[in-house]
Amino acid sequence: MTATRWLAEYAWLPDHAEPTPDVLIETADGRITTVAPLTGGRPTAGVEVLGDAVRLPGLTLPGLANAHSHAFHRALRGRTHAGRGDFWTWRDGMYAVAQRLDPDSYLALARAAYAEMALAGVTCVGEFHYLHHGPNGTPYDDPNAMSAALVEAAAQAGIRITLLDTCYLTATVDGAPLAGPQRRFGDGDALRWAERVGAFRPENDHARVGAAIHSVRAVPVEQLATVANLADRAGVPLHVHLSEQPAENDACRAVHGCTPTRLLADHGVLGRHTTAVHATHPTSADVALLGESGTGVCLCPTTERDLADGLGPARRMVEAGSPLSLGSDSHAVVDLFEEARAVELDERLRTRRRGHFTAVDLLTAATTGGHAALGWADAGRLAVGDRADLVTVRLDTARTAGVPPVGAFFAATAADVSSVVVDGRQVVRDGVHLTVDVPTELRDAIAAVSGA
Ligand SMILES: [Zn+2]
């Protein structure tokens, strides 16, 4: 077993209100084996010298989890801002990219997108994956070829992945069939979805498979329980887009006479292993249902602002009992620091008051909250036994100089991440990805599918 010793100038340890200076962290076989704060530069716990330790100047955090991603949306960044429009007109552009992808081009695009995430300190991604089949919905020879491409992309980018294989069967709440580009998303019914997902068993231990219901638009009410039961029996996370748009609530009320949250609750979808993504427009009763059931909420603030979705009641949902996680979703921005501070700053805009979430609340959402939502209970803390994820943020850049370490979530950006270690392996050093030329690969992969 090869051990590596790291000396963090500051490290944010579990249950600490602020970072601790001079912490020696030892890792071996992908796990943290020692966490020893030093006093006056010397070990307090009998750990000898530090000559061989890799210095990590700045603030070292646990691994950040990006709990909601659609990798191919990265190709849309900066291309959807002409004219007016809304979520639905943006979706047409997204479908145009979806139409052009195949397993090879998706591998290239996702590898570049995940490598950008690694540069931003993301050590684990939750990929909400619905682009399953070939053009016109014809399955590939390997019906999980697209899933395999995403798992391989994460391996090549050096991060972990929870592939949230998404059941997507209909176009509208009242059951209109999938049409056009959407036909690539569909498996016919939930049983056939389950059969395909059950046949996908990635062998690398950087990957796990979870389940997702695209939304109440996409899974008929009588099939919701099939998906929920499969996730429950397998003990895997279940994610669902929920009330991102008022139109989804209106359609659900018109067809089913209740809100999407109520519908999910009545069909066994909510619970501690479930994460509701967005939850931007819940009613007060919905907030209570989510909280009482322990359902998590994944906020994606930069996407929600980009798509003009609205502001979810983050503070009320936490008070009701929902743990928070964060996602970059459409990748209009890939920066978990920005997502995290938006949780607090958006609440300030709504209430015209400050101080709704502490720095530790934001850290928790970005680390343990996200990892738990993705089924990795042993990641997201700088603690002995946890996965050896170390994300170091410089405190001497133009953005962070003079900022106290506790203020990092209100000052740092993804560009300030200098070193990233995932499962004990260094993926980013001096702000550079060690195996992927991220800007070049992004440019080429996007050119190949953008149709421009
Ligand atoms: Zn999404």
Side-chain angles (χ1 to χ4, degrees):
M1 141 169 142
T2 32
T4 306
R5 309 211 298 171
W6 312 86
L7 184 57
E9 185 184 1
Y10 291 93
W12 211 325
L13 305 181
D15 307 317
H16 283 58
E18 56 185 81
T20 301
D22 300 322
V23 178
L24 183 72
I25 300 168
E26 198 165 74
T27 62
D29 292 341
R31 297 278 165 175
I32 295 171
T33 52
T34 302
V35 177
L38 311 181
T39 304
R42 302 187 67 82
T44 51
V47 190
E48 288 272 318
V49 190
L50 310 172
D52 62 338
V54 180
R55 309 264 158 177
L56 296 173
L59 168 63
T60 295
L61 302 168
L64 309 181
N66 188 355
H68 190 66
S69 160
H70 308 281
F72 74 91
H73 294 189
R74 176 63 180 82
L76 293 167
R77 186 185 297 174
R79 292 168 184 269
T80 62
H81 299 281
R84 294 179 66 83
D86 58 14
F87 170 89
W88 308 101
T89 51
W90 170 87
R91 195 178 71 160
D92 292 337
M94 184 266 279
Y95 283 171
V97 173
Q99 256 180 319
R100 297 190 192 101
L101 285 160
D102 61 25
D104 289 338
S105 57
Y106 206 0
L107 169 58
L109 178 56
R111 174 179 58 216
Y114 294 159
E116 182 190 357
M117 290 181 201
L119 284 175
V122 170
T123 58
C124 187
V125 63
E127 179 66 30
F128 197 105
H129 168 53
Y130 51 79
L131 188 51
H132 301 304
H133 302 299
N136 304 320
T138 310
Y140 290 106
D141 291 345
D142 169 5
N144 286 305
M146 292 296 244
S147 302
L150 291 163
V151 166
E152 178 60 23
Q156 292 183 14
I159 66 174
R160 292 189 300 276
I161 183 170
T162 296
L163 188 90
L164 298 160
D165 195 306
T166 304
C167 189
Y168 198 135
L169 305 171
T170 54
T172 58
V173 177
D174 57 0
L178 300 178
Q182 294 177 327
R183 284 185 295 173
R184 301 189 67 177
F185 310 160
D187 289 296
D189 60 44
L191 287 174
R192 277 182 279 174
W193 166 83
E195 197 179 326
R196 182 181 53 72
V197 179
F200 184 57
R201 296 192 180 88
E203 286 171 10
N204 291 351
D205 66 280
H206 79 293
R208 290 181 183 167
V209 178
I213 289 165
H214 179 274
S215 60
V216 298
R217 300 195 302 278
V219 177
V221 61
E222 71 280 4
Q223 298 187 57
L224 289 170
T226 305
V227 183
N229 289 341
L230 179 132
D232 192 40
R233 277 200 309 277
V236 299
L238 174 62
H239 286 217
V240 54
H241 286 136
L242 182 64
S243 294
E244 180 176 4
Q245 290 289 324
E248 176 183 300
N249 291 0
D250 297 344
C252 193
R253 280 202 187 88
V255 175
H256 299 297
C258 66
T259 65
T261 302
R262 179 81 252 173
L263 194 71
L264 295 178
D266 288 350
H267 290 81
V269 176
L270 301 187
R272 297 197 179 281
H273 297 290
T274 300
T275 296
V277 180
H278 302 300
T280 309
H281 300 283
T283 64
S284 296
D286 292 342
V287 170
L289 281 171
L290 292 170
E292 285 160 11
S293 60
T295 301
V297 170
C298 180
L299 301 173
C300 307
T302 67
T303 290
E304 289 149 10
R305 72 169 79 132
D306 184 80
L307 296 180
D309 287 340
L311 276 183
R315 186 68 231 169
R316 282 202 291 129
M317 292 194 286
V318 168
E319 283 167 2
S322 291
L324 290 186
S325 54
L326 302 170
S328 65
D329 190 3
S330 70
H331 314 314
V333 173
V334 171
D335 187 335
L336 269 284
F337 298 97
E338 179 64 22
E339 303 293 349
R341 66 177 152 262
V343 174
E344 163 66 17
L345 299 182
D346 287 355
E347 206 68 31
R348 291 183 190 177
L349 284 175
R350 183 213 319 280
T351 60
R352 288 178 283 155
R353 295 183 69 86
R354 311 175 87 228
H356 306 275
F357 293 93
T358 66
V360 170
D361 292 336
L362 304 185
L363 171 74
T364 301
T367 56
T368 43
H371 278 104
L374 297 177
W376 304 81
D378 57 352
R381 297 177 313 149
L382 297 176
V384 171
D386 260 36
R387 287 173 176 272
D389 293 355
L390 309 177
V391 173
T392 305
V393 187
R394 295 182 62 134
L395 295 174
D396 60 354
T397 70
R399 290 162 295 275
T400 58
V403 173
V406 70
F409 271 94
F410 288 100
T413 70
D416 302 313
V417 172
S418 56
S419 168
V420 179
V421 174
V422 184
D423 288 331
R425 204 159 49 92
Q426 192 156 29
V427 176
V428 173
R429 186 188 300 138
D430 297 328
V432 175
H433 197 289
L434 294 178
T435 55
V436 178
D437 177 347
V438 181
T440 302
E441 290 211 14
L442 280 169
R443 182 196 64 199
D444 293 350
I446 291 168
V449 300
S450 65

